[in-house]
Amino acid sequence: MNSKITKTNYPALYTLVTVFFFWGFIAAGNSIFIPFCKNFFSLDQFQSQLIDFAFYTAYYIGALLLFAMGNSRGKDIVGTWGHKKSIVYGLLFSALGAGAMIVAVEAGVYEGMLVGLFIVALGFSLQQTAANPFAILLGDPKTGASRVNLGGGINSFGTTIGPIIVALALFGTTASVSDDQIKHLELSKVIFLYVCVGLLFIGSAAMFYFSKKVPSGISDEPMEKANKALTTLIVMTILLAACFTPIFKSYQTDVANFSPEQLLDLNSYRMNWLFGALAVVLGGIFFSYSSAKKNSEGWGAMQYPQLVLGMLAIFVYVGVEVAIGSNLGELLKLPEFGGLQSSDIAPYISMYWGSLMIGRWAGAISVFHLKDSQKTLALIIVPLIAFGIILGVNILSGKDMTPLYYYVLCVLIQIGAMFLSKDKPARTLMIFGLFGLSAMIVGLFSTGTVAIYAFLAGGLACSIMWPAIFSLSIIGLGKYTSQGSAFLIMMILGGGIIPPIQGKISDIIGIHQSYVVGVVCFAYLTLFAVLVKGILKKQNIDVDAIETEGSH
């Protein structure tokens, strides 16, 4: 009966991994757009971080809409449409967002660019919901992890070259462009970039739609209802909208003639509402769990503590991963961090996001069932090859990578951490959580190259956290596994809330000190690794028997 699925459908798989590339390319490219927009539109650090807010909030809204539709029908919407059609719909929606970006850039309207990115990411949300399980369906389920990890590796390659391509589109190949000169740049290249991106979205959608070798992926499995969980998520969404409405109103305020006292009041006002939004997320998650503990009916997957704590872990993980990269450009402008212009930061942004590629490539080695000696050799060589590729693509684009050669020392530390992790998700998460926590502390208490390397190493720490958190969060959920996965994807929302919080903290206490946010986030991720092991033990689940699967 399984003979039809044991052979991997490689043409369909190679078509599928193109969407993984898009996610990484656009997301990492935002780290270049943020400092560019800050200077071009004369924004403060918080306002520039609204790019991340628009992009990652769309993931939450998209996943919530899919869950709500599925809950009302009692069937998984993506499965009903078919994974193939769902990806096509997602790509076309992202193409619509690229069109909105072109119009907004042509008009020079920052708010319009935010809307365009929101629509692009809304399409990504549908693509991501469909693509990961689709990769598993394209062959033997036992080798599903390797196909998902292949997608993750392509995704990470997209994050590596995204900043380089976007920087070339914004600043060209000429000499350094000062931040004052950015305001006078022509945006025709950005329009051309998004025309190309939009055409690629449409081309990929056509390739999926017309390819006879890509199966429909239709599934008619029933979906477990969770009406109380849905109600809570809707209330959370309304409260989040209520928190961000006054923030957006204050965004329109002309602060050019504000006194220092008035600016301080405005910063405090925005900070209070941002922390209010954070409280809504934390309160909503823990209210759901405490209520489900008393009466599990209607709460679905939220009755499981590993999922609830895992939702918060995904929220924090995506938040810190995005916040480190998105605020890095502003940090590098400080004299003690090199005093770089926005046009000069692409190699550092590329190395940060490339650090995730280094870890993910190393993390994918275990799925190939190598002999011990081969695996040991691969764990050393593969990260170094990935590091060399990052250097190579930047050098080919004309960037001076000399300041980053010795970052290989951080890569060697990560290789050591991989050996200590032994492919055990809880152990992996704890070791890499401590790695990230240590890196942020070193970065906070130092300056110059040491601090830059430390903050870049946050990418190495984040690199293999997603599959570890995901595996630990959904184990033991049984019939609620699919629903739990949907809740976890919603928590990508962290990428839309934590970076603006760090941006506002930066406006108040300075960009360097704002990286205390990273300390708090990695501390929780380490704590989650410790707590979840005890929780699963009480459920008679051997945490060391879990395999880490999935990629983000």
Side-chain angles (χ1 to χ4, degrees):
M1 188 175 76
N2 292 331
S3 60
K4 292 183 180 179
I5 61 169
T6 51
K7 190 175 180 181
T8 299
N9 185 338
Y10 287 106
L13 180 62
Y14 297 148
T15 305
L16 178 65
V17 295
T18 58
V19 301
F20 284 80
F21 175 84
F22 286 139
W23 305 338
F25 180 91
I26 300 294
N30 287 344
S31 296
I32 299 294
F33 262 118
I34 286 170
F36 171 82
C37 288
K38 180 177 180 180
N39 291 287
F40 190 84
F41 294 105
S42 301
L43 309 172
D44 64 23
Q45 188 63 9
F46 159 73
Q47 290 170 327
S48 69
Q49 294 295 314
L50 292 178
I51 287 175
D52 281 335
F53 170 79
F55 191 79
Y56 289 97
T57 301
Y59 273 93
Y60 168 73
I61 297 297
L64 178 60
L65 288 172
L66 288 172
F67 172 64
M69 292 166 66
N71 192 75
S72 65
R73 296 186 183 184
K75 287 186 179 180
D76 176 28
I77 293 299
V78 170
T80 303
W81 290 344
H83 293 84
K84 178 178 178 177
K85 277 189 178 179
S86 296
I87 291 172
V88 170
Y89 295 155
L91 285 165
L92 292 176
F93 213 84
S94 293
L96 182 65
M101 276 289 288
I102 293 167
V103 173
V105 172
E106 182 72 46
V109 179
Y110 179 58
E111 293 84 350
M113 292 174 66
L114 297 180
V115 172
L117 283 170
F118 180 88
I119 298 172
V120 169
L122 208 56
F124 283 1
S125 177
L126 178 53
Q127 294 166 40
Q128 183 150 337
T129 302
N132 282 304
F134 197 32
I136 294 171
L137 291 173
L138 292 178
D140 189 338
K142 291 180 180 179
T143 58
S146 64
R147 291 188 291 279
V148 174
N149 275 291
L150 173 64
I154 299 298
N155 172 273
S156 295
F157 184 65
T159 66
T160 302
I161 69 169
I164 301 171
I165 301 298
V166 173
L168 288 172
L170 291 172
F171 309 115
T173 56
T174 56
S176 176
V177 178
S178 72
D179 288 347
D180 289 333
Q181 291 175 313
I182 286 176
K183 294 181 181 180
H184 307 292
L185 288 176
E186 292 290 332
L187 295 181
S188 56
K189 288 184 179 179
V190 181
I191 294 172
F192 178 73
L193 172 67
Y194 270 91
V195 166
C196 291
V197 167
L199 290 174
L200 284 171
F201 285 145
I202 294 171
S204 296
M207 188 166 57
F208 263 93
Y209 184 78
F210 291 110
S211 175
K212 294 180 180 179
K213 292 185 178 180
V214 178
S216 62
I218 293 174
S219 171
D220 202 29
E221 291 184 11
M223 177 178 175
E224 295 295 330
K225 290 198 173 187
N227 292 323
K228 291 179 182 177
L230 176 60
T231 301
T232 302
L233 288 167
I234 291 172
V235 171
M236 276 175 56
T237 306
I238 293 170
L239 291 174
L240 284 171
C243 288
F244 277 98
T245 297
I247 294 175
F248 283 123
K249 285 184 178 179
S250 72
Y251 164 76
Q252 303 294 336
T253 305
D254 183 5
V255 298
N257 298 316
F258 270 34
S259 67
E261 291 78 13
Q262 287 175 310
L263 282 174
L264 183 61
D265 288 342
L266 179 61
N267 284 333
S268 298
Y269 175 78
R270 286 174 172 171
M271 181 58 76
N272 290 338
W273 283 110
L274 280 169
F275 275 117
L278 183 61
V280 166
V281 175
L282 300 181
I285 290 173
F286 286 111
F287 167 77
S288 300
Y289 173 61
S290 61
S291 300
K293 226 178 168 185
K294 296 172 186 174
N295 181 8
S296 62
E297 186 179 351
W299 286 104
M302 283 192 181
Q303 63 190 276
Y304 294 92
Q306 64 266 38
L307 177 71
V308 175
L309 294 177
M311 288 170 68
L312 181 55
I314 290 289
F315 179 87
V316 166
Y317 153 73
V318 178
V320 71
E321 176 186 283
V322 176
I324 293 172
S326 295
N327 286 283
L328 194 59
E330 188 65 16
L331 181 76
L332 294 171
K333 291 180 183 179
L334 297 179
E336 60 270 32
F337 284 87
L340 301 180
Q341 302 293 331
S342 296
S343 61
D344 300 325
I345 66 172
Y348 295 89
I349 301 297
S350 176
M351 184 59 75
Y352 172 72
W353 289 105
S355 294
L356 277 88
M357 181 179 80
I358 292 171
R360 286 171 182 170
W361 283 17
I365 290 169
S366 60
V367 303
F368 295 109
H369 305 295
L370 301 175
K371 295 178 182 178
D372 287 344
S373 58
Q374 293 173 326
K375 185 175 179 181
T376 299
L377 192 61
L379 279 173
I380 297 170
I381 293 176
V382 169
L384 294 176
I385 290 174
F387 176 66
I389 289 173
I390 299 164
L391 291 178
V393 294
N394 276 278
I395 291 170
L396 287 173
S397 70
K399 305 297 181 184
D400 177 18
M401 298 300 287
T402 307
L404 290 168
Y405 285 163
Y406 291 104
Y407 183 65
V408 70
L409 297 174
C410 296
V411 177
L412 292 174
I413 293 173
Q414 193 225 31
I415 291 171
M418 290 291 296
F419 279 107
L420 289 173
S421 299
K422 299 180 179 178
D423 291 331
K424 308 298 183 186
R427 185 184 177 99
T428 297
L429 189 57
M430 184 172 67
I431 289 172
F432 278 82
L434 289 171
F435 179 23
L437 179 61
S438 302
M440 293 302 105
I441 292 172
V442 169
L444 276 173
F445 288 96
S446 60
T447 56
T449 301
V450 172
I452 291 172
Y453 281 13
F455 289 133
L456 290 177
L460 294 171
C462 288
S463 61
I464 57 174
M465 283 187 169
W466 174 275
I469 297 169
F470 216 94
S471 298
L472 292 166
S473 301
I474 63 173
I475 189 71
L477 267 58
K479 64 182 181 179
Y480 296 109
T481 300
S482 178
Q483 189 183 97
S485 298
F487 290 154
L488 290 171
I489 289 175
M490 286 181 206
M491 289 299 102
I492 292 176
L493 173 67
I497 292 181
I498 291 178
I501 286 177
Q502 182 172 346
K504 184 43 60 185
I505 290 175
S506 166
D507 288 332
I508 297 173
I509 65 173
I511 186 65
H512 188 191
Q513 291 73 22
S514 74
Y515 274 83
V516 69
V517 170
V519 174
V520 175
C521 291
F522 281 117
Y524 173 73
L525 291 168
T526 307
L527 177 63
F528 170 70
V530 175
L531 292 176
V532 76
K533 193 167 185 177
I535 289 168
L536 293 174
K537 189 175 182 180
K538 289 179 181 178
Q539 298 175 16
N540 297 316
I541 297 172
D542 181 7
V543 72
D544 290 331
I546 305 170
E547 294 182 5
T548 56
E549 295 186 12
S551 180
H552 170 65

